[in-house]
Amino acid sequence: MATSPEQIQTTEKRGYLHDITTAKGLAIFLVVFGHIVTGPSPADNEWYTVLRTTLYAFHMPFFIYLSGYIFFYTSSHVRARKNYGTFFLRRGERLLIPFILFGLLIIAGKHVAEHFIHVDNVAPNLMTDLVNLFWNTGQSAAKSVWYVFVLFEMTLLAVVALRIIPSPLPLFIIALPLSIFPMVPVLYLDRLLLFLPFFFFGGVAIMHQEKWVIWLDRYLWAFWLAFAGAIIVTRIVGNFHFSLIACGLTSIPALHGLCRLAWVQSVKLLDIFGRYSFPIYLFNTIAIGLAKGVMLLLMPWDGINFLIFLPVLLVAGVAGPIFVKAVLLRRVRYLDKITE
């Protein structure tokens, strides 16, 4: 039976979702894999360029779907109505402060590190990068953490929109065509519109949660066929927006359904990655950048050498942030709180 908007609105606390933790673990692993190369690709490794281009057609739509799923599952929009001011302040502390703090850390770190090692995506002067953190965000030196700022915008927009249209389904339908409209890259508004449909799709899934999980379990094979077909077709067509919508939407039931399988949920690493997904997101590019810079002092990463760089940078991107969170940030209560 479908869950009505009214039922969604009255649900305050619900049970733990192991499949979502596993899915977050898979999603953050894909994010880290995509962040291994943020500048020019290593020569003679076209296979990685093709794989990365395909990955970028669906990994963030899936990640944002999970954010929307959790937002609606926990009835965040309902709790906001008790005190909008308190809700927005808490969301700001939860998302804006980490974004600003780690955005500044990334920018400052890049400008210091460029004197010693190779650094990608850094402006000629510090002031330009500070401005681009919020203004010309397409050129931000810290655009690897854009999701945190956009998620803040999405949650605020959702709270307001749901007061006018109290159901995620029409909001998803409205957001879908808006995602192809060009938008200036200021305050990440271009990415907000681009990925907003996937956030509301998470709400649609919660609205029909009982049927949704049954469909995921029963028709997983069909969802994977549709996902594979979307990847093949969009690689041929080559249209960015069509690719993102087709691959993004078909990836959601395919990957979510995959993470509901018992053998996938038994993979401990995915569970660990899921529990540490936020600090991994915040720190992975820093860890990857440091590891890459040091390794480039020893050898180039072109050709077959990239096969050495790839696993090292991947491990650095997931293990480094977990170490920082578990060993260092745990000792500072406030930093531990905002990176939880």
Side-chain angles (χ1 to χ4, degrees):
M1 185 177 73
T3 303
S4 69
E6 291 75 14
Q7 287 175 307
I8 294 176
Q9 292 174 359
T10 56
T11 304
E12 292 284 340
K13 295 181 180 179
R14 307 177 75 168
Y16 171 69
L17 299 175
H18 191 190
D19 59 331
I20 296 301
T21 300
T22 302
K24 285 167 59 181
L26 174 61
I28 198 63
F29 179 82
L30 295 176
V31 167
V32 174
F33 188 87
H35 283 170
I36 288 174
V37 176
T38 56
S41 299
D44 301 320
N45 284 278
E46 288 77 12
W47 64 270
Y48 177 82
T49 302
V50 172
L51 186 60
R52 185 175 182 271
T53 301
T54 302
L55 176 65
Y56 268 73
F58 68 86
H59 80 306
M60 285 312 298
F62 180 60
F63 202 73
I64 289 174
Y65 155 78
L66 294 174
S67 300
Y69 194 92
I70 295 169
F71 176 85
F72 284 94
Y73 184 79
T74 57
S75 300
S76 295
H77 58 297
V78 179
R79 288 185 280 114
R81 295 174 190 172
K82 295 179 180 179
N83 190 319
Y84 285 109
T86 299
F87 176 81
F88 293 151
L89 284 175
R90 288 178 176 174
R91 285 286 162 164
E93 183 180 34
R94 179 75 178 87
L95 297 170
L96 284 187
I97 290 181
F99 170 79
I100 295 171
L101 181 62
F102 290 98
L104 293 176
L105 177 64
I106 291 171
I107 290 171
K110 283 187 174 184
H111 280 273
V112 171
E114 69 175 343
H115 296 291
F116 307 98
I117 59 177
H118 172 81
V119 176
D120 291 319
N121 302 327
V122 62
N125 62 81
L126 178 62
M127 184 54 66
T128 298
D129 276 331
L130 292 176
V131 171
N132 289 348
L133 183 61
F134 293 100
W135 191 247
N136 186 19
T137 50
Q139 300 300 318
S140 173
K143 62 184 175 182
S144 59
V145 293
W146 66 266
Y147 157 79
V148 183
F149 190 88
V150 169
L151 183 58
F152 175 76
E153 293 179 312
M154 285 181 176
T155 55
L156 266 59
L157 180 60
V159 167
V160 174
L162 287 163
R163 290 294 291 173
I164 303 170
I165 305 175
S167 173
L169 179 57
L171 292 174
F172 164 72
I173 295 173
I174 293 170
L176 198 58
L178 289 178
S179 68
I180 67 174
F181 282 16
M183 178 62 69
V184 292
V186 174
L187 296 175
Y188 302 93
L189 292 177
D190 53 336
R191 302 197 182 212
L192 170 65
L193 282 189
L194 187 63
F195 292 103
L196 188 61
F198 306 104
F199 183 84
F200 284 124
F201 191 79
V204 176
I206 289 297
M207 185 176 176
H208 301 277
Q209 188 182 19
E210 292 183 11
K211 285 185 178 180
W212 178 244
V213 295
I214 291 174
W215 293 340
L216 292 180
D217 297 340
R218 183 177 298 171
Y219 303 113
L220 181 58
W221 61 272
F223 291 133
W224 270 96
L225 284 177
F227 181 34
I231 289 176
I232 294 171
V233 171
T234 56
R235 296 313 89 192
I236 296 173
V237 174
N239 180 275
F240 171 74
H241 287 99
F242 173 65
S243 175
L244 193 74
I245 291 172
C247 295
L249 290 178
T250 55
S251 74
I252 289 171
L255 297 177
H256 189 172
L258 176 69
C259 292
R260 288 182 55 80
L261 297 176
W263 70 268
V264 177
Q265 293 188 17
S266 68
V267 178
K268 297 299 182 183
L269 278 179
L270 289 181
D271 185 72
I272 294 172
F273 295 165
R275 294 176 185 274
Y276 283 89
S277 59
F278 194 50
I280 290 175
Y281 185 83
L282 292 173
F283 284 103
N284 78 93
T285 55
I286 299 175
I288 291 171
L290 287 173
K292 176 185 173 183
V294 172
M295 292 182 71
L296 284 175
L297 295 176
L298 304 175
M299 68 179 84
W301 75 338
D302 298 321
I304 197 170
N305 286 358
F306 184 64
L307 297 181
I308 300 174
F309 275 77
L310 181 61
V312 173
L313 298 184
L314 194 55
V315 171
V318 292
I322 293 174
F323 174 83
V324 170
K325 171 67 174 177
V327 177
L328 302 180
L329 298 186
R330 295 286 187 204
R331 300 173 182 271
V332 183
R333 176 177 292 185
Y334 189 70
L335 292 179
D336 184 39
K337 175 185 175 182
I338 65 173
T339 57
E340 192 60 47

